[in-house]
Amino acid sequence: MAWNQSFYSYNNLTGHGNAVANTNPLYLMEAQVNYYDQDLNLINNDQFVTCQLVSQDPLTVKYTVNKNAKWSDGVPVDASDLMLSWAAQSGKYNTGELKTDDNGNPIPQPNVVAFDASSTGLALVKDTPTISDGGQSITLKYSTFFADYPIALTMGVPAHVIGMKALGAKDGASAKTAMNTAFQKDDKAALKKVADFYNTGFDFTELPSDKELYLSSGAYLLTDFKKDQYMTFKVNPDYNWGPKPSIQQITYRFIPDAMASVQALQNGEIDMTNPQATVDVLGAVNNLKNQGVDVINTIGSTYEHVDMAENNKGPFDPATYGGDKAKAQQVRAAFIKTIPRQNIVSRLIKPLNPTATTRDSFTLVPGSPGYDEMVQQNGSANWKDADIAGAKDLLAKAGVKTPVTVRFLFAKDNTRRQNEFKLIQQSAQQAGFTLVDASRTDWGAQLPNTKIYDASLFGWQSTNTGVTANCDNYKTKGQNNFYGYSSAALDAACVKLNAATTPEDQLKYLIEIEKALWSDSFGTVIFQFPEIVASNSKKLQNVKMIPLSPGPFWNFWEWTTTS
């Protein structure tokens, strides 16, 4: 099978590692606490971890790991691994801000503990969780109700590996003890070492010589990884704590060019591809139907959007205007008015999906419950399509000298994004913006590094149906808020959203969040992705798609082959 971007981090719970490029391969290797089925029902993988609601007031949840589950080095998977996930994502032990280098990679700071992970709903678990049942169970007590508690805690990287690498433990058991002791005693010296290794110790772009850096807890073992070429996965013979696959080996190839991946499918070099959808790609895969190629053409979970940096002393940063936030907001608003949202949809998306429309919500998918009400109230109507005259007027009112230079980051090897950039560039030029092509092949890893760009064009993919995850993109210092954006009103709405128990209240607070985003000119959204999955039905069967990450990989255990 083929994917368009190479793997670069075994830890996709970090900010810089949180990408589909990493999530798909890891889904093959990591046992899942829960997953979604074809109808987007959340399925608890009780063969691996059971999740028990102990109390709703205070919200108390107990997780118990199957005592037979183990990492591929033979060390048991247990509550220590879940404790590490909580510690990293709760933010409890952080003593300072995370710093990154010019490539967006975390860099250690003297005497500072800073996990590169989002302060999610797990931040509401203020007290260190308790471990029981011989180290198999962990109990979390929330300080207030959290609407998405069923999906809050996930299994991440192995705690014992960090205990050995960062704390010098000699074996798995002593490593877990050292890790848990550091958390329970809030040992800052030890926790700094833990955080620093957690952040970057599992980053690699080819097979490491140290096998402990790519252990498996799931269905497949990583056995080979050639940089920018392919990864090889072989079935884990010991795995019996989740759905078991029948396919013995998977070769996961990296083919950035969509048409090249279609050609590879036609030539029999691959059996499945999920390329970026374009009219040419759709036509090419449809032409292969008479050769036994199955084509899924649907709406996906990803939405295209443009964000702007407010923290790099560029054209959208108040610091450029002596700290004048109002002037910076006017420049951002002017730029948004130049983005030809409707034209992009009409020219690039409607040929794939004739009913396609602009997406007018940062948080809700078109057609989902509450979407119409959201769009009526969130303020998006003011930004429906390009308004060159309005953009010029805003720049004039701001007293900003034109042309305004904007470095624009997007995927260099993505045809659709190249076309989008051209359309935006041509439109923005009419209002006085000069867009500089700052595209890169490693654009995903560069998102935290706003020193190299002023605006970015990419897609956010939903990984779950929870409502609170949206806040990570927009709240002050949220994991995916790379841009320095901060709104007291939005932050307050996120706090309320966390504890909202009814759909009505959840929509109410989502609307508050979006009103802040649109009025502050945070950025804009453009369209919901069309998705194409093409597979060789003569060899590979039961390929299906869901509108959540990991897309067509969600049911790999149901795949079968005829040869």
Side-chain angles (χ1 to χ4, degrees):
M1 55 195 55
W3 191 254
N4 61 18
Q5 185 182 359
S6 184
F7 180 95
Y8 61 89
S9 180
Y10 173 87
N11 189 355
N12 67 333
L13 294 182
T14 62
H16 71 286
N18 179 23
V20 182
N22 301 318
T23 299
N24 285 348
L26 288 171
Y27 191 73
L28 301 174
M29 297 174 63
E30 294 181 343
Q32 303 297 312
V33 175
N34 46 53
Y35 59 90
Y36 288 91
D37 68 10
Q38 182 84 56
D39 299 318
L40 300 189
N41 297 308
L42 184 66
I43 307 299
N44 292 316
N45 182 13
D46 290 341
Q47 296 179 74
F48 179 43
V49 176
T50 58
C51 177
Q52 177 188 359
L53 178 61
V54 178
S55 168
Q56 284 193 320
D57 188 18
L59 179 61
T60 307
V61 186
K62 181 179 181 180
Y63 299 84
T64 303
V65 183
N66 182 340
K67 64 181 180 181
N68 295 318
K70 60 183 178 181
W71 296 97
S72 50
D73 63 351
V75 174
V77 182
D78 61 20
S80 299
D81 300 300
L82 292 172
M83 175 72 87
L84 171 61
S85 289
W86 165 80
Q89 294 181 82
S90 68
K92 176 180 174 65
Y93 300 107
N94 292 349
T95 61
E97 290 190 20
L98 183 77
K99 302 294 183 181
T100 60
D101 63 19
D102 288 342
N103 292 317
N105 298 310
I107 52 178
Q109 297 294 304
N111 304 315
V112 173
V113 179
F115 283 95
D116 182 20
S118 174
S119 182
T120 63
L122 294 175
L124 299 174
V125 181
K126 305 293 187 183
D127 298 329
T128 303
T130 57
I131 292 178
S132 59
D133 299 334
Q136 295 304 121
S137 299
I138 183 172
T139 301
L140 280 61
K141 182 181 292 186
Y142 289 77
S143 58
T144 185
F145 189 81
F146 179 59
D148 288 333
Y149 77 85
I151 55 176
L153 189 62
T154 58
M155 188 68 66
V157 293
H160 73 279
V161 171
I162 298 183
M164 291 189 289
K165 303 297 183 185
L167 301 182
K170 301 301 182 183
D171 55 57
S174 60
K176 292 179 181 182
T177 299
M179 291 282 286
N180 292 332
T181 298
F183 295 137
Q184 291 162 358
K185 294 187 175 182
D186 197 3
D187 183 342
K188 297 302 185 187
L191 290 173
K192 172 176 168 47
K193 297 177 182 179
V194 168
D196 289 347
F197 193 90
Y198 177 92
N199 291 347
T200 60
F202 295 99
D203 294 349
F204 53 84
T205 56
E206 59 187 343
L207 195 71
S209 58
D210 187 349
K211 293 183 178 180
E212 291 174 339
L213 298 182
Y214 57 95
L215 299 179
S216 170
S217 63
Y220 286 94
L221 308 172
L222 175 62
T223 59
D224 197 7
F225 180 11
K226 299 298 183 185
K227 185 176 182 179
D228 296 329
Q229 296 183 48
Y230 64 86
M231 303 173 84
T232 302
F233 300 93
K234 293 185 178 179
V235 73
N236 182 353
D238 296 326
Y239 177 70
N240 61 5
W241 44 90
K244 297 185 68 171
S246 64
I247 295 176
Q248 297 300 299
Q249 179 172 307
I250 293 175
T251 301
Y252 187 94
R253 290 185 54 187
F254 308 120
I255 306 179
D257 183 83
M259 290 300 290
S261 74
V262 176
Q263 186 66 54
L265 181 66
Q266 182 177 8
N267 295 343
E269 300 167 23
I270 60 173
D271 301 299
M272 186 181 85
T273 181
N274 180 200
Q276 285 280 332
T278 66
V279 175
D280 290 341
V281 168
L282 181 60
V285 294
N286 281 337
N287 288 338
L288 299 180
K289 286 183 176 180
N290 60 1
Q291 299 178 30
V293 169
D294 281 345
V295 178
I296 300 172
N297 182 20
T298 186
I299 297 299
S301 62
T302 305
Y303 66 92
E304 196 82 323
H305 63 105
V306 173
D307 298 338
M308 291 171 284
E310 303 178 31
N311 56 357
N312 67 348
K313 298 182 180 179
F316 307 125
D317 184 351
T320 300
Y321 311 104
D324 191 331
K325 293 183 179 180
K327 180 175 287 191
Q329 186 272 332
Q330 285 179 311
V331 177
R332 293 196 303 273
F335 184 62
I336 294 173
K337 281 182 175 293
T338 70
I339 297 175
R341 300 170 68 235
Q342 188 60 57
N343 191 30
I344 290 172
V345 171
S346 297
R347 295 185 60 173
L348 303 181
I349 308 303
K350 274 186 174 292
L352 292 162
N353 173 18
T355 63
T357 62
T358 57
R359 170 165 164 159
D360 300 319
S361 169
F362 286 95
T363 62
L364 296 179
V365 177
S368 64
Y371 179 81
D372 291 341
E373 184 177 350
M374 167 68 78
V375 172
Q376 290 173 2
Q377 299 186 44
N378 64 1
S380 61
N382 297 325
W383 315 92
K384 188 64 179 175
D385 200 10
D387 176 8
I388 302 303
K392 288 181 176 180
D393 184 55
L394 281 170
L395 289 177
K397 288 180 177 178
V400 174
K401 183 179 179 181
T402 58
V404 177
T405 300
V406 178
R407 298 167 298 167
F408 208 74
L409 176 69
F410 60 98
K412 192 179 189 68
D413 44 19
N414 185 305
T415 302
R416 186 170 68 208
R417 296 235 169 89
Q418 292 169 352
N419 292 332
E420 288 180 70
F421 171 73
K422 291 176 183 177
L423 292 174
I424 296 172
Q425 184 183 47
Q426 292 166 3
S427 179
Q429 186 175 10
Q430 299 176 49
F433 289 95
T434 298
L435 266 61
V436 176
D437 184 338
S439 61
R440 303 171 63 115
T441 55
D442 63 343
W443 64 272
Q446 297 300 323
L447 285 172
N449 182 21
T450 57
K451 295 177 183 177
I452 67 169
Y453 70 92
D454 304 306
S456 59
L457 170 73
F458 66 101
W460 279 131
Q461 184 174 46
S462 300
T463 60
N464 58 64
T465 59
V467 296
T468 61
N470 291 292
C471 287
D472 286 338
N473 295 350
Y474 313 117
K475 69 183 181 182
T476 303
K477 298 181 181 179
Q479 181 182 29
N480 300 323
N481 177 1
F482 311 116
Y483 318 106
Y485 172 72
S486 180
S487 163
L490 183 145
D491 291 347
C494 283
V495 171
K496 296 173 184 175
L497 179 63
N498 281 346
T501 58
T502 67
E504 292 77 15
D505 281 345
Q506 291 171 356
L507 178 60
K508 173 184 175 181
Y509 300 130
L510 286 173
I511 290 173
E512 289 184 12
I513 288 169
E514 293 217 12
K515 283 182 176 179
L517 291 169
W518 289 105
S519 64
D520 292 341
S521 302
F522 167 84
T524 192
V525 288
I526 307 176
F527 58 82
Q528 200 71 22
F529 268 37
E531 289 282 357
I532 294 173
V533 180
S535 58
N536 177 4
S537 63
K538 293 181 179 179
K539 185 173 181 181
L540 180 63
Q541 293 82 41
N542 294 329
V543 173
K544 302 174 183 177
M545 183 70 176
I546 62 171
L548 293 174
S549 177
F553 294 90
W554 75 270
N555 69 328
F556 66 81
W557 55 87
E558 294 180 348
W559 295 348
T560 58
T561 58
T562 53
S563 61

